[in-house]
Amino acid sequence: MKTLNVTILKIKLCKVMPLIMIMLVMFTSGSAYAAMLLSGEAGLEYINYDAKVAGKDIFSGSTLAQKYNLGYSLSNFVHRDQAEYYDLKVGYEWADFNTKVTEPDHDTSIRQSSGRFVYGGRLGYNPYNLPVKFSAYLNSNVPVTYSTGLVQNALIGDNLLYAISDTSKGVSSGVTFAFEPEKSRTSTFVRSLPRLYLDYREYETKNSDVTARMDTKTREIAVAGLNRENNWLNYRSVIYEDRLHISEGYTRQQIQIGHVNNVGKRLWASLTNWIDVSADGQLTTLVGKTPNDNYEEYDLNFMAAAKRKTWEATTFMNYNRLFGQSEIKENIRIPVYFKGVYGADTTWYAGVNAQQGREKYWTGKPTETSSLNSITLGGTTFNRTNFVLAPSVNAQTGKSLGGNSFYSMGVNLEAFSTNRFSTAAGVAGKAYWKLKDDGSSDSSRSWIAGLELTGNYHPDMRTFYKMANLTETGNGLGFLDTSSAQAVISSGAPASTPDFMRDRLSASVAWTPTAEFTTSFEGSYDISQVTGRPTTTATTIAYRLSYFKGKSFYRLDSKYESINSGVKKDAFSNQLEAQYLPDIYNEATLRFIQEYDKIYASSAADTYEILQKYSYKMFTRDGVSRNYATITQEYSYKSGGLLGQNASGLTTQYLALSGRYSPTAKLSLTGSMKYEKVDPGMTTLYYSAGINADFKLLVTSLDYTYAKRDFDSRIEKKLAASVKRTF
C-alpha cells in the first residue's frame, strides 16, 4: 500500500503552537475569571568535603551550584469541564555549578552551565450549546538534574557535583478535537451526522552533550469517525525521525474499520437477543529508511458470543498476514469455547482450538508451516450431593515452524466434598495422568501419573488442621524440573528412559484462641528418586506465633530445613521481634535474627543479628498538638561467618543517638552521633548537626558531618549549605 501523504504532518506545530494558543486565549478571554502571575525561584548550594589519612590530605573538594528561573503565567482554569479555560506559562531557567578538587598529585576544576526557555500550557473550548470539544497542550519543561559523588568508598557521601546529567531539551505538544453530534440540543440534522475525533501529538528531543547526543522527533495523528451504532473508522499515523541516525527513522500508518472505538475499546453489536458479534479489519504499513524494515500487515478479527438458558458459546477468530521484504507470514486462529448446565447438578465445558501458520520466502527456501490443534472436555457432577465429581480430558497436537511434530494429552479425575458432607471437615482427591512428546528425538516421550489427597478439619472458628499427600511417578525428562533434568544428563545416566518417583507429605495446624493471639505449626517431608541420581529427601518444619495485646506486639518465626541429595545440608533460622508502644510518646523495638547453614561435606556458617531501637517524642500542650522534638536511640549487633577449621567471621556493632528539635513548625535543629565497631580492630565515629528552615517563600539548610576511623586514621568532613528563595 502506498504511503498516504498527510500534509498536516509537515507543519512544524512546535513553532506554530504558541501562536495558536495565544490567539485562542484572546478568543476565549471573555471568561470573567483570569489570573496573571509573575513568579521566580533562586537557589544556591555550597558543599565542602575533605578527607585525610594519617594526617595527610588525600582529597579536598568544593562545589558551588546555583539555579534560577523566572516565569510568567496567565490562567483562568478552575475545573476541566468549564466551557472555556486556559493555563499558560513562559519563562527561563538557568543552572550552573563549579566544582574544584585537590588531590596529592593534581588539581581538577569542573564547571558546567545550562540554560533553557521553559514554556507550556493548556487550553480548552467546550461550549455547552455546541457539540464540539477542543483542547490543546504544550510543554517544554525538562528539569535540570545533577550527577553527584566523586569519592569511592567514602565514610560519608561527598555529594560533590560533577555533571549536569540531563541537558536535553524536549518539547511535547498536542491538539484534540471532538465533534459529538448526539449532544446537540437544537438540530435534528446535526444529531444525524457521524461522530468525529482528531488527535495530533508531537514530541521533539534534542541533546548536544557529546556523551548522550540526541535529536529525534515523533509525530502522531489519529482520526476516528463513527458512522452508525458501533461501526468505527480509525486512522493512525506515526512518523519518527532521528536526525543523527537516519536509518532508524520510519513511517507507520494504520487503518482500522469495525467495532473498535477511538480509544481501542472493543464494542459489540446484537444480531439477536442472544447473539452478539464484534468484527474489525486492520491494515498496517511501515516504511523505513532501509528496504529491509518495510512491511505490510493485515489483521481480521471476528468474535461472537451466544448465550441461552442452559449453554453459552464464544469464539475469537483471527487472521493475520504480513508481507515482509523476504517472506510472507500467515497465521489463522479459530478457538471455540462452550459451557453449560445439564440438569440440576451437572455443569460441563468444552473447548476447541485450531491454529495454522505458514511462512513463504522469496529466496526459494521451501515454505514452512506450523500448526496447533487442541481439545478440552470437562465438567462437574453431583453438585448437590456430599461429593462433587470433576472429570476432564485434554489433548493437543501440532508442529513447530520448520521443526518437529509434538503432542500431549492428559486425563484428570477430581473429587471434593461439599457442606452437605460436613461443615467442619473437607476432603479432596485428584488423580491425573499426562503424556507428552516434543518430537526432538525417538526417546523424547515422557509421562507422569499422580495422586493428590488433601483433608482439612476445623472443629471451631479457632482451630484449623490440614493434611496433604502428593505421590507422583513417571518416565522421561519432560516432567522433571530443570535442575533434575540437567543433573541426569550431566551424570551420564541413560537420558532416554529416566524413571522418577516423588512423594510429599505435609501437615499443618493453626490455632487462634483470641483475636490477639495466633500460632501455627507446619511440617513436610519430601522424597524423590530419579534414575542415575541419589535419592533426595527434604524435611521442613516451621513455627509461627504472633501476639498483640494493648500496647505490646510479639512475633516469632522459626524454620528448619534439611536436604540430603548425596550431600547433606541443614538450615535453621529464627526471627523474634517485640514492640512496645505504651503511649504516643514512647516506641520501643527489639529484634533478634539467627541463621545457620551447614553443608556437611564442606563448611557451616552461623549469623546472629540483634537490633534495638527506642524513640521518645514530645508534643506541644497548647493549641494544635505538634511533635516538636524526637530523640531516637539505636543499637545493632551482627556477627557471623564460617565455622570449623576454616573459621572466619566479622562482627559489626554500632550505637547511634539522634535527635530533632523544632521550636516552631518552620524551624528544625537536628543532630546525631554514631559509634561503629567492626572486629577485628576497626572503629569509626560519626557526628552530624544541622539546621533547617522551611518558610512559605524561603527554604534554607546548613549541615555539618564528621567521621573518623582509627584503622587507617582516616578523617572526613563535610559542610553543606543551601538556600532557595521563591517569589
Side-chain angles (χ1 to χ4, degrees):
M1 175 181 178
K2 296 183 177 180
T3 304
L4 300 177
N5 295 320
V6 184
T7 57
I8 189 173
L9 296 180
K10 297 182 180 180
I11 300 176
K12 297 184 177 181
L13 285 183
C14 65
K15 298 181 179 179
V16 181
M17 186 65 68
L19 180 60
I20 294 176
M21 298 184 76
I22 292 174
M23 294 176 64
L24 287 170
V25 168
M26 295 175 62
F27 176 70
T28 61
S29 61
S31 173
Y33 166 81
M36 294 179 291
L37 180 65
L38 180 65
S39 62
E41 186 177 277
L44 187 66
E45 182 179 8
Y46 174 76
I47 300 173
N48 183 275
Y49 172 85
D50 294 300
K52 296 181 180 181
V53 173
K56 296 181 180 180
D57 292 330
I58 61 169
F59 188 94
S60 178
S62 64
T63 290
L64 179 63
Q66 48 190 330
K67 185 186 295 185
Y68 306 94
N69 66 66
L70 181 67
Y72 174 79
S73 62
L74 177 66
S75 175
N76 76 335
F77 182 81
V78 178
H79 59 86
R80 191 175 296 274
D81 293 330
Q82 68 190 76
E84 302 165 358
Y85 68 85
Y86 55 88
D87 184 9
L88 308 177
K89 60 182 179 181
V90 63
Y92 186 79
E93 182 182 47
W94 182 77
D96 172 86
F97 78 89
N98 186 7
T99 297
K100 296 181 180 179
V101 175
T102 300
E103 298 180 82
D105 54 349
H106 66 280
D107 295 341
T108 306
S109 180
I110 307 172
R111 181 164 188 174
Q112 289 187 11
S113 62
S114 176
R116 68 189 74 186
F117 282 100
V118 178
Y119 54 90
R122 54 180 175 170
L123 58 88
Y125 181 63
N126 307 317
Y128 299 129
N129 57 346
L130 294 177
V132 296
K133 287 185 177 182
F134 174 84
S135 63
Y137 73 91
L138 177 69
N139 188 4
S140 69
N141 187 16
V142 180
V144 175
T145 57
Y146 298 106
S147 297
T148 63
L150 291 174
V151 181
Q152 302 293 328
N153 301 319
L155 298 177
I156 54 178
D158 61 274
N159 297 121
L160 297 174
L161 279 60
Y162 64 86
I164 296 178
S165 57
D166 192 351
T167 58
S168 61
K169 299 178 180 179
V171 179
S172 61
S173 58
V175 175
T176 301
F177 172 80
F179 176 64
E180 300 174 337
E182 71 278 4
K183 296 183 180 180
S184 176
R185 303 180 181 180
T186 58
S187 175
T188 304
F189 171 74
V190 173
R191 287 196 294 269
S192 66
L193 296 176
R195 193 184 304 177
L196 179 65
Y197 292 92
L198 171 65
D199 185 80
Y200 177 83
R201 301 181 184 184
E202 186 172 295
Y203 312 91
E204 187 168 8
T205 303
K206 293 184 179 181
N207 192 341
S208 57
D209 191 339
V210 294
T211 61
R213 293 191 64 194
M214 183 183 299
D215 190 356
T216 64
K217 186 175 184 179
T218 303
R219 290 171 287 177
E220 301 178 2
I221 185 171
V223 182
L226 175 62
N227 182 13
R228 59 176 58 188
E229 294 187 2
N230 291 329
N231 296 319
W232 284 82
L233 175 63
N234 294 282
Y235 170 77
R236 306 177 187 92
S237 175
V238 177
I239 299 178
Y240 174 77
E241 300 177 22
D242 191 332
R243 300 182 180 95
L244 300 180
H245 307 89
I246 305 298
S247 60
E248 295 184 5
Y250 63 85
T251 299
R252 183 175 68 238
Q253 298 184 87
Q254 187 178 88
I255 296 177
Q256 185 179 37
I257 184 171
H259 297 103
V260 178
N261 67 5
N262 59 311
V263 295
K265 180 181 178 181
R266 180 159 297 280
L267 306 174
W268 295 81
S270 298
L271 290 183
T272 67
N273 61 352
W274 60 281
I275 299 178
D276 294 330
V277 297
S278 179
D280 70 277
Q282 183 175 287
L283 169 63
T284 304
T285 63
L286 187 140
V287 178
K289 298 301 181 180
T290 59
N292 290 334
D293 297 331
N294 301 344
Y295 70 81
E296 188 173 285
E297 184 176 12
Y298 299 88
D299 258 301
L300 297 176
N301 297 288
F302 176 77
M303 305 180 185
K307 185 175 182 179
R308 301 296 284 176
K309 183 178 180 180
T310 58
W311 61 271
E312 296 179 16
T314 55
T315 182
F316 308 95
M317 302 181 186
N318 170 261
Y319 172 75
N320 175 271
R321 186 168 186 174
L322 186 143
F323 290 86
Q325 292 301 302
S326 60
E327 77 284 331
I328 296 178
K329 297 181 180 180
E330 286 183 291
N331 287 282
I332 185 170
R333 184 171 65 94
I334 306 176
V336 182
Y337 304 99
F338 302 91
K339 67 177 182 178
V341 297
Y342 180 77
D345 60 354
T346 301
T347 64
W348 59 271
Y349 61 88
V352 179
N353 182 32
Q355 297 184 38
Q356 297 290 328
R358 181 172 71 96
E359 288 191 9
K360 182 179 181 181
Y361 298 88
W362 307 122
T363 57
K365 185 179 178 180
T367 300
E368 296 180 352
T369 60
S370 64
S371 64
L372 177 63
N373 303 292
S374 64
I375 183 172
T376 302
L377 299 172
T380 63
T381 188
F382 309 122
N383 293 335
R384 299 194 300 175
T385 62
N386 292 343
F387 293 90
V388 175
L389 189 65
S392 65
V393 296
N394 62 81
Q396 177 178 279
T397 181
K399 176 181 178 298
S400 58
L401 193 66
N404 306 311
S405 297
F406 58 88
Y407 68 88
S408 66
M409 62 183 66
V411 178
N412 300 273
L413 181 62
E414 185 176 1
F416 53 90
S417 63
T418 66
N419 287 338
R420 292 176 179 268
F421 169 74
S422 174
T423 58
V427 293
K430 180 180 179 181
Y432 55 88
W433 176 82
K434 300 177 183 179
L435 173 69
K436 67 179 181 180
D437 187 352
D438 60 12
S440 59
S441 64
D442 295 336
S443 58
S444 59
R445 188 176 68 175
S446 303
W447 64 268
I448 186 173
L451 176 64
E452 183 177 0
L453 301 174
T454 60
N456 61 79
Y457 176 61
H458 49 97
D460 49 47
M461 298 297 294
R462 299 180 179 88
T463 310
F464 184 83
Y465 303 92
K466 183 178 180 180
M467 180 173 287
N469 179 256
L470 173 64
T471 301
E472 291 181 328
T473 183
N475 177 272
L477 297 173
F479 291 101
L480 289 178
D481 58 85
T482 303
S483 60
S484 298
Q486 291 177 348
V488 170
I489 296 174
S490 61
S491 67
S496 57
T497 57
D499 295 322
F500 62 89
M501 183 278 294
R502 180 190 180 193
D503 187 85
R504 186 176 190 272
L505 177 65
S506 62
S508 64
V509 57
W511 185 46
T512 308
T514 65
E516 297 85 4
F517 180 82
T518 181
T519 183
S520 66
F521 180 86
E522 60 185 62
S524 66
Y525 179 76
D526 195 323
I527 180 171
S528 59
Q529 294 178 329
V530 182
T531 301
R533 298 293 300 165
T535 299
T536 299
T537 59
T539 303
T540 303
I541 300 174
Y543 176 74
R544 296 177 178 88
L545 178 147
S546 64
Y547 177 72
F548 177 78
K549 183 65 174 179
K551 303 171 183 179
S552 303
F553 172 76
Y554 306 93
R555 181 170 62 90
L556 171 65
D557 287 321
S558 297
K559 184 178 181 180
Y560 169 78
E561 185 177 22
S562 177
I563 300 176
N564 191 344
S565 57
V567 176
K568 189 177 181 181
K569 177 182 178 182
D570 288 342
F572 186 76
S573 65
N574 283 299
Q575 181 171 337
L576 175 64
E577 182 176 351
Q579 291 184 353
Y580 180 61
L581 296 87
D583 47 46
I584 63 172
Y585 307 102
N586 297 275
E587 180 179 350
T589 300
L590 180 63
R591 183 182 300 123
F592 171 78
I593 300 174
Q594 184 260 335
E595 295 180 351
Y596 174 83
D597 292 284
K598 182 175 183 180
I599 302 176
Y600 284 83
S602 54
S603 61
D606 199 3
T607 302
Y608 297 89
E609 182 177 358
I610 299 174
L611 176 65
Q612 175 268 324
K613 186 176 181 181
Y614 172 75
S615 296
Y616 180 74
K617 301 177 182 178
M618 289 169 275
F619 296 84
T620 56
R621 298 182 180 273
D622 55 343
V624 178
S625 180
R626 180 176 62 86
N627 174 214
Y628 70 89
T630 301
I631 299 176
T632 302
Q633 173 268 327
E634 185 173 330
Y635 173 76
S636 174
Y637 177 88
K638 185 175 183 179
S639 177
L642 296 176
L643 304 175
Q645 295 180 350
N646 299 321
S648 64
L650 192 67
T651 299
T652 303
Q653 57 181 323
Y654 69 82
L655 176 64
L657 181 66
S658 61
R660 176 189 58 82
Y661 173 64
S662 303
T664 69
K666 305 295 183 181
L667 182 65
S668 296
L669 303 174
T670 60
S672 68
M673 296 182 294
K674 182 179 179 180
Y675 171 83
E676 183 181 62
K677 185 178 181 181
V678 179
D679 290 332
M682 186 167 64
T683 301
T684 308
L685 296 174
Y686 300 87
Y687 304 94
S688 69
I691 180 172
N692 301 277
D694 187 355
F695 300 97
K696 184 176 181 180
L697 299 177
L698 177 67
V699 178
T700 182
S701 66
L702 177 65
D703 296 284
Y704 177 77
T705 307
Y706 175 90
K708 182 179 180 180
R709 184 171 62 195
D710 63 353
F711 176 73
D712 52 359
S713 300
R714 183 183 180 99
I715 297 176
E716 297 184 16
K717 304 175 184 178
K718 183 178 69 172
L719 176 67
S722 67
V723 60
K724 184 171 68 173
R725 178 71 166 88
T726 304
F727 59 89

